[in-house]
Amino acid sequence: MNRRALLFAGLAVAAAAGAPARAVPAEIRVILIGGPDCPPCVRWKREYLAAWIASPEFRQVAWEEVEAARFREAYQERYWPGDLAPILAQIPRKSGAPRFLIVQAGRIVSNHLGVSKWASTLDDLRKLLG
């Protein structure tokens, strides 16, 4: 390989490494709100978390959990630091868990409460991912 080819190959690799692998993850976040003392939250994690992490959708979003020591405290501001604070402000009813939020460009676009609503959350997410 000559020097020019080597230089261009190196630049291509560097450009690929610096470019985002996908445009969606920075823009779409999925947030679980719950706590370890919340039986439905524990059930969701036991029944759905592993499949969620293994899913293709998981790799296309930013996943976050807001988990307080007691799930009744999960909506307190101290558990929503930094860029999560504006999301907390958008939640109309600040109670109940597990709650699944989908946030796109800083706005809540899907808000479902309860284990039985996980399927609805996934449906909403798949529509967003197109």
Side-chain angles (χ1 to χ4, degrees):
M1 185 178 263
N2 66 32
R3 285 185 184 175
R4 180 178 285 178
L6 184 61
L7 174 65
F8 285 114
L11 289 173
V13 169
R22 46 189 189 243
V24 176
E27 198 167 312
I28 297 179
R29 300 159 80 173
V30 178
I31 302 171
L32 166 67
I33 303 167
D37 66 335
C38 163
C41 302
V42 172
R43 182 176 140 228
W44 180 85
K45 286 185 174 186
R46 185 180 63 244
E47 294 179 13
Y48 297 99
L49 183 59
W52 164 236
I53 291 172
S55 75
E57 292 85 5
F58 180 83
R59 290 185 292 281
Q60 298 179 59
V61 301
W63 168 250
E64 298 178 74
E65 294 183 27
V66 174
E67 190 170 83
R70 292 189 215 155
F71 81 93
R72 293 188 194 282
E73 298 175 352
Y75 295 94
Q76 293 180 5
E77 289 180 17
R78 64 183 171 167
Y79 295 106
W80 296 75
D83 65 341
L84 289 176
I87 296 167
L88 173 62
Q90 295 175 50
I91 301 172
R93 183 174 163 250
K94 294 172 178 61
S95 65
R99 181 180 300 271
F100 307 101
L101 302 175
I102 300 176
V103 177
Q104 183 176 33
R107 286 186 43 247
I108 295 174
V109 295
S110 175
N111 177 359
H112 294 289
L113 179 63
V115 174
S116 65
K117 296 297 184 177
W118 175 241
S120 299
T121 301
L122 285 177
D123 288 344
D124 291 349
L125 181 59
R126 289 179 182 127
K127 288 175 190 169
L128 284 172
L129 294 173

